[in-house]
Amino acid sequence: MKSNRQKKILEIIESNDVETQQDLARLLGEAGFIATQATVSRDIKELRLVKVSTGGGQAKSKYASNSVRNEIDTRFTDKFKGILSEMVIKISSAGHMVVLKTYAGMAQAACAAIDSLDLPDIVGSLAGDDTIFIVMSTESDAADFVKKLSRSISK
């Protein structure tokens, strides 16, 4: 029952702009799943859903699945973007691996900043003097991470 409900939650947030837990509980009810606000809250936490901007003129947000595609946007602060944009020279990927080139002596600080994001798709990272190796869960995650990170820290 729980796994079916959580699958339905993911379907609902993909096809609807769900702003509140009450909205999600209502949409679940319409789909035949009875869930209290407390149950929905636990499901949101277990599914690691995040709130992202709907991009409209008003400051509205909606629930979205927590993946490399959107998590970098939700976790990067302006300060963090500024730090990485000053340190990172080049970003590329090869298979599951992402490689970042930094200015000499900057790799460890940049790697610590990326590690602080605590992204679930990052298996691990290793920093030298001017190079960071990041192992991602899949090749697709690596490609998405490179695109999103490149856009997020571009000057």
Side-chain angles (χ1 to χ4, degrees), residues 8-58:
K8 184 49 111 177
I9 287 172
L10 293 174
E11 290 175 20
I12 288 171
I13 65 169
E14 283 295 317
S15 58
N16 299 281
D17 286 350
V18 180
E19 295 181 40
T20 67
Q21 292 178 6
Q22 292 79 14
D23 291 342
L24 186 53
R26 180 182 50 78
L27 291 167
L28 278 171
E30 291 173 7
F33 293 88
I34 298 172
T36 65
Q37 184 271 331
T39 300
V40 169
S41 179
R42 281 190 297 275
D43 287 339
I44 288 169
K45 188 171 189 164
E46 289 177 17
L47 291 168
R48 299 186 73 186
L49 300 182
V50 295
K51 284 271 195 140
V52 297
S53 173
T54 58
Q58 298 177 7

Side-chain angles (χ1 to χ4, degrees), residues 32-130:
F33 293 88
I34 298 172
T36 65
Q37 184 271 331
T39 300
V40 169
S41 179
R42 281 190 297 275
D43 287 339
I44 288 169
K45 188 171 189 164
E46 289 177 17
L47 291 168
R48 299 186 73 186
L49 300 182
V50 295
K51 284 271 195 140
V52 297
S53 173
T54 58
Q58 298 177 7
K60 289 192 174 187
S61 60
K62 66 177 183 173
Y63 284 104
S65 62
N66 193 3
S67 69
V68 168
R69 290 167 197 84
N70 63 34
E71 189 167 357
I72 292 174
D73 278 345
T74 62
R75 292 197 181 190
F76 268 21
T77 64
D78 289 335
K79 180 179 179 181
F80 183 75
K81 289 178 187 179
I83 290 169
L84 282 182
S85 67
E86 295 299 321
M87 294 180 185
V88 176
I89 300 168
K90 181 180 175 186
I91 305 168
S92 57
S93 68
H96 293 242
M97 180 81 62
V98 175
V99 179
L100 282 74
K101 294 297 287 182
T102 69
Y103 291 103
M106 298 292 182
Q108 291 184 12
C111 189
I114 290 168
D115 286 346
S116 73
L117 291 172
D118 195 29
L119 297 174
D121 298 318
I122 293 179
V123 176
S125 61
L126 179 68
D129 186 55
D130 64 355

